[in-house]
Amino acid sequence: MSKLIEPFQIDIPQSDLDDLIARLTHTRWPDQMRDADWRQGIPLDRVKDLAEYWRTEYDWRAAEERLNRFPQFTTEIDGQRIHFLNVRSSRQDALPLLITHGYPSSFVEFEKLIPDLLERGFHVVIPSLPGFGFSAPVGEPGWAMGRTARAWVELMARLGYEHYGVHGGDVGSAISGTVSGLDGEHVAGVHIVTDPYTAAASATFVPWLADKLNPEDAIDKLALQRMEDFRRNDSGYLAIQNTRPQTIGYGLTDSPAMQLAWIAESFDSWTSLPIDTDQLLTNISVYWFTGTGVSAARFLYEQAHSQDWGAPPSVPQGYSVFGADATVRRLIDPAEGTHWVEHDRGRHFPAMEAPEQLAEDLSVFFDGLR
């Protein structure tokens, strides 16, 4: 296995941009029921507005130039191409921080967080999950959370980082926790972001999280209701990707309107503070130009059919809870003495919604672990 680390620059061919414009121009739009709302999916007007902005005003070349200011690399680990950012702080006491994104996100989620982290004394390492963006294609089954965590441990060793922190949200939180369990000798601590949606979704699919809830307790009853609401109203995308990712992949790969709607729905539903439309479209563009809508969906399929959960965290843990309410801690139930910070604003993507608050939380947690 090659341990070669190669510099990487994003350079999407102009023909791909021209093709995107042509496909958006000739989109065949569905109809919509009168007085339709979000209950049946992202509304038609919302997708049309985003698609028209993507087609006529959004500037991919400007986004490409901004992203290429961050040092990027690729390397092969366990037979898989891995793309990653490795952005080093000028501070002598800088702590390497391994950040893992979730679905349907990418390294683009952290674009506005990185400069603040550099000033606060972090070297920032952000890999693209296998099958996501420029960490593609995926050549074989088995790339779920546990295998990814082992690849991240190898990546940090390959970069020469012997003492580092880990951070993540969404599926990135589970991968980060697993990294800390696998490599506790080198990991200073693990920091996780969560919100009521993530907590309810996690408890829905991880039975032992819900087993401790008492349906007679008022707070536990609310948590159980949140879980049921997720099952009934918000789990459709996950059910499809956990069972038939290939089928949805034809639309995601052939239609930019489909890829746009599929991702924008999650960002619209899972945020409570405004996010930059250009940043959202940059994230979607990475999926589109790399054709990784289907392989990213397969990552969730692989995890749904995997028993490889790696190892639990064995280092200090920190949590930043956005849109906090009393149900979250009941569902997550961290160990006594866990670093816990609650924010009443923001939700699932705080690196885009509230990057300053997230950077402050990371600084406070890890400053005591350097």
Side-chain angles (χ1 to χ4, degrees):
M1 176 180 66
S2 172
K3 294 189 176 182
L4 182 65
I5 294 175
E6 298 181 326
F8 177 82
Q9 287 269 289
I10 304 170
D11 185 16
I12 300 301
Q14 184 60 41
S15 58
D16 288 1
L17 275 72
D18 295 340
D19 177 68
L20 169 63
I21 300 304
R23 288 172 185 263
L24 289 170
T25 301
H26 296 100
T27 298
R28 187 181 182 193
W29 294 106
D31 65 358
Q32 180 172 282
M33 294 180 65
R34 187 173 56 232
D35 301 324
D37 57 22
W38 279 85
R39 286 175 295 180
Q40 294 186 23
I42 187 170
L44 178 61
D45 286 348
R46 169 62 172 162
V47 182
K48 278 189 169 182
D49 287 347
L50 279 172
E52 182 63 10
Y53 183 83
W54 199 11
R55 186 180 75 87
T56 61
E57 297 185 53
Y58 171 75
D59 188 346
W60 165 257
R61 290 303 184 200
E64 189 176 67
E65 181 180 355
R66 287 196 312 272
L67 295 176
N68 278 333
R69 293 172 186 165
F70 299 128
Q72 299 174 58
F73 306 88
T74 61
T75 192
E76 182 182 314
I77 300 176
D78 194 13
Q80 174 61 40
R81 168 192 166 103
I82 299 296
H83 161 263
F84 64 97
L85 277 60
N86 183 23
V87 192
R88 294 183 61 84
S89 171
S90 61
R91 280 183 44 174
Q92 295 299 312
D93 64 342
L95 175 72
L97 181 63
L98 172 65
I99 299 177
T100 304
H101 66 83
Y103 181 90
S105 189
S106 69
F107 69 97
V108 174
E109 177 185 349
F110 307 103
E111 178 185 354
K112 295 181 179 180
L113 180 67
I114 293 171
D116 201 348
L117 292 180
L118 297 177
E119 290 184 8
R120 292 173 180 271
F122 292 99
H123 301 314
V124 180
V125 180
I126 309 176
S128 296
L129 290 172
F132 287 66
F134 301 104
S135 286
V138 174
E140 61 183 8
W143 280 100
M145 294 179 187
R147 188 172 181 181
T148 301
R150 288 189 289 275
W152 282 191
V153 171
E154 169 61 25
L155 174 63
M156 296 304 280
R158 197 171 290 187
L159 292 174
Y161 292 136
E162 297 182 353
H163 184 67
Y164 62 96
V166 291
H167 165 74
D170 195 82
V171 298
S173 63
I175 293 169
S176 297
T178 302
V179 168
S180 70
L182 294 169
D183 200 27
E185 180 181 354
H186 300 108
V187 174
V190 54
H191 184 273
I192 288 169
V193 294
T194 190
D195 62 276
Y197 170 86
T198 305
S202 299
T204 299
F205 294 99
V206 183
W208 61 84
L209 290 180
D211 288 346
K212 63 178 180 291
L213 298 180
N214 175 9
E216 303 302 319
D217 179 89
I219 295 177
D220 287 0
K221 186 175 181 178
L222 179 58
L224 290 165
Q225 183 59 53
R226 284 192 184 279
M227 292 164 56
E228 183 60 23
D229 289 345
F230 174 79
R231 287 193 191 96
R232 289 179 178 273
N233 302 316
D234 294 315
S235 63
Y237 82 98
L238 197 56
I240 292 173
Q241 295 183 166
N242 283 352
T243 57
R244 294 292 187 270
Q246 188 66 31
T247 301
I248 196 67
Y250 299 107
L252 296 175
T253 305
D254 189 61
S255 168
M258 176 62 186
Q259 182 68 88
L260 172 68
W262 198 250
I263 292 180
E265 179 181 67
S266 295
F267 277 84
D268 282 2
S269 298
W270 303 347
T271 54
S272 65
L273 294 175
I275 61 173
D276 188 315
T277 299
D278 280 23
Q279 190 178 11
L280 171 62
L281 287 173
T282 299
N283 179 66
I284 294 170
S285 296
V286 168
Y287 279 76
W288 175 255
F289 288 131
T290 58
T292 51
V294 62
S295 55
R298 281 197 209 105
F299 188 92
L300 300 185
Y301 174 90
E302 291 294 333
Q303 187 56 47
H305 294 80
S306 173
Q307 300 300 315
D308 182 8
W309 289 87
S314 59
V315 299
Q317 299 176 50
Y319 287 81
S320 289
V321 186
F322 287 82
D325 66 24
T327 68
V328 181
R329 193 151 195 170
R330 292 286 184 93
L331 288 168
I332 295 176
D333 193 26
E336 188 71 22
T338 297
H339 178 86
W340 184 274
V341 180
E342 296 187 359
H343 302 270
D344 59 359
R345 304 174 73 241
R347 283 190 66 199
H348 196 69
F349 299 100
M352 297 172 73
E353 298 177 82
E356 297 86 359
Q357 291 93 319
L358 179 55
E360 175 67 17
D361 288 356
L362 287 165
S363 182
V364 170
F365 175 64
F366 283 108
D367 277 355
L369 302 173
R370 292 177 183 273

